[in-house]
């Protein structure tokens, strides 16, 4: 069903997408990114307070179009990827965010250290394209345009993503990674109920550096399904996750009993920085 919305001058704004992954929050309309959203995705990732968290150079329009095409394909084959977030009252593009499946590569393999030592952690999704992905845990992130920062939109996107992961996709866990010095995004992770799990290294910009390095420090936050309590839309102090035995029972290293490693890619995939 389409939900109508209007501008103050009574001109219609885009309605909620018919896509099964579309969602509404109290202030936002969340539309799954498809190739047709390239213009709006470009508006977000060309923002001078967004793109520096993802690369040392501003992306080209062609790169963003390819990114939109990949998101479109991931929605079709993996059943999930990021949303474009629009204000419900006037249709303005606020940002992009939500979930995506994590690639079975060496970078995301570092997250095994922070997940339960159970077979589902390394189980692969049925669809081998557009890349081999983990089946039972997802990444969550957000990027908000500069004029909408500090208004709680990143948390609103994050809570919607957690609800979608656990109630629609049946995920066992959701993780979020950001550069160590990205304090605003780390605050969002805590605000939506995720717990700090540790750090990993990946390619990115170390604080104060002008060139990317392979050993940039990323913090990792995790939320397991049995920890999630449905954090409310207001009240950042409510709905904090419960500590569970499963959450504490992490073991590192190869050769975990009862786990068959999934095939891994040879390429490295950049960790999303989830700018607030």
């Amino acid at each position: 069903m389409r939900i109508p919305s209007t501008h103050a001058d009574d001109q219609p704004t885009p309605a909620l997408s018919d896509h099964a992954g579309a969602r509404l929050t109290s202030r936002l309309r969340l539309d799954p990114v498809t190739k047709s959203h390239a213009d709006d995705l470009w508006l977000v990732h060309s923002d001078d307070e967004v793109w520096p968290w993802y690369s040392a150079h501003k992306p080209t329009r062609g790169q963003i179009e390819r990114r939109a095409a990949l998101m479109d394909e991931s929605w079709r084959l993996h059943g999930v990827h990021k949303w474009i977030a629009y204000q419900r009252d006037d249709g303005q593009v606020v940002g992009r965010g939500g979930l995506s499946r994590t690639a079975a590569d060496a970078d995301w393999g570092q997250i095994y250290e922070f997940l339960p030592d159970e077979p589902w952690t390394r189980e692969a999704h049925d669809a081998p394209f557009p890349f081999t992905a983990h089946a039972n845990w997802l990444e969550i992130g957000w990027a908000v345009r500069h004029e909408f920062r500090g208004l709680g939109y990143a948390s609103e996107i994050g809570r919607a993503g957690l609800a979608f992961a656990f109630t629609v996709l049946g995920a066992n866990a959701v993780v979020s990674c950001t550069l160590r010095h990205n304090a605003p995004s780390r605050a969002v992770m805590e605000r939506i109920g995720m717990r700090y799990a540790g750090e990993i290294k990946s390619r990115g910009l170390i604080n104060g550096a002008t060139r990317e390095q392979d050993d940039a420090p990323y913090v990792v936050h995790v939320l397991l399904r049995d920890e999630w309590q449905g954090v409310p839309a207001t009240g950042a102090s409510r709905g904090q996750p419960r500590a569970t035995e499963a959450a504490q029972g992490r073991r590192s290293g190869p050769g975990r009993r009862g786990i068959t490693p999934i095939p891994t890619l040879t390429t490295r995939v950049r960790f999303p920085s989830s700018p607030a």
Side-chain angles (χ1 to χ4, degrees), residues 33-74:
V33 177
T34 67
K35 289 184 288 187
S36 66
H37 291 90
D39 287 344
D40 293 338
L41 193 63
W42 166 252
L43 195 61
V44 177
H45 281 278
S46 63
D47 190 296
D48 287 339
E49 292 191 27
V50 172
W51 69 261
W53 290 106
Y54 293 90
S55 175
H57 303 284
K58 189 172 184 176
T60 66
R61 178 55 188 263
Q63 288 173 323
I64 297 302
E65 289 177 350
R66 290 190 291 274
R67 189 175 302 178
L70 174 64
M71 292 180 180
D72 191 337
E73 191 172 23
S74 294

Side-chain angles (χ1 to χ4, degrees), residues 13-221:
T13 61
L16 181 68
S17 169
D18 285 334
H19 195 291
R23 289 295 183 272
L24 291 175
T25 67
S26 60
R27 296 180 295 171
L28 298 172
R29 189 183 84 248
L30 304 174
D31 282 355
V33 177
T34 67
K35 289 184 288 187
S36 66
H37 291 90
D39 287 344
D40 293 338
L41 193 63
W42 166 252
L43 195 61
V44 177
H45 281 278
S46 63
D47 190 296
D48 287 339
E49 292 191 27
V50 172
W51 69 261
W53 290 106
Y54 293 90
S55 175
H57 303 284
K58 189 172 184 176
T60 66
R61 178 55 188 263
Q63 288 173 323
I64 297 302
E65 289 177 350
R66 290 190 291 274
R67 189 175 302 178
L70 174 64
M71 292 180 180
D72 191 337
E73 191 172 23
S74 294
W75 271 108
R76 290 189 299 103
L77 299 177
H78 285 165
V80 68
H81 212 289
K82 296 297 192 289
W83 293 302
I84 289 286
Y86 302 93
Q87 284 192 320
R88 289 181 61 177
D89 59 356
D90 61 11
Q92 289 191 76
V93 177
V94 171
R96 75 101 188 93
L99 304 158
S100 58
R101 296 199 184 275
T102 55
D105 66 5
D107 268 0
W108 284 109
Q110 296 177 77
I111 306 297
Y112 297 155
E113 169 72 13
F114 308 116
L115 295 174
D117 185 9
E118 298 177 7
W120 63 259
T121 299
R122 301 192 184 196
E123 185 179 347
H125 189 271
D126 291 339
F129 301 104
F131 56 87
T132 302
H134 295 101
N136 300 302
W137 55 279
L138 304 110
E139 175 268 336
I140 192 168
W142 37 79
V144 176
R145 296 172 61 204
H146 70 276
E147 61 261 49
F148 297 104
R149 294 169 71 101
L151 300 175
Y153 284 115
S155 297
E156 196 164 328
I157 294 169
R159 292 187 179 104
L162 292 177
F164 193 79
F166 295 125
T167 67
V168 177
L169 300 177
N172 289 338
V174 175
V175 305
S176 192
C177 305
T178 194
L179 289 162
R180 181 194 290 163
H181 64 280
N182 189 353
S185 192
R186 295 179 65 173
V188 173
M189 295 174 191
E190 295 175 1
R191 195 172 296 125
I192 65 175
M194 304 188 76
R195 58 176 171 78
Y196 173 78
E199 291 193 3
I200 47 86
K201 298 292 180 66
S202 184
R203 187 165 181 80
L205 286 171
I206 295 175
N207 193 19
T210 58
R211 293 186 178 181
E212 294 180 335
Q213 301 182 38
D214 287 334
D215 60 348
Y218 284 77
V219 296
V220 179
H221 281 64

Side-chain angles (χ1 to χ4, degrees), residues 199-273:
E199 291 193 3
I200 47 86
K201 298 292 180 66
S202 184
R203 187 165 181 80
L205 286 171
I206 295 175
N207 193 19
T210 58
R211 293 186 178 181
E212 294 180 335
Q213 301 182 38
D214 287 334
D215 60 348
Y218 284 77
V219 296
V220 179
H221 281 64
V222 175
L223 189 62
L224 300 180
R225 183 171 184 166
D226 62 357
E227 296 173 324
W228 183 67
Q229 299 179 24
V231 181
T234 59
S237 63
R238 298 176 56 193
Q240 295 302 311
R242 303 184 304 275
T244 65
E245 183 177 352
Q248 302 302 322
R250 300 188 296 267
R251 293 192 290 273
S252 62
R256 300 180 180 184
R257 290 179 296 175
I259 296 179
T260 301
I262 59 179
T264 58
L265 304 180
T266 57
T267 56
R268 293 171 64 87
V269 177
R270 175 189 305 279
F271 280 103
S273 295

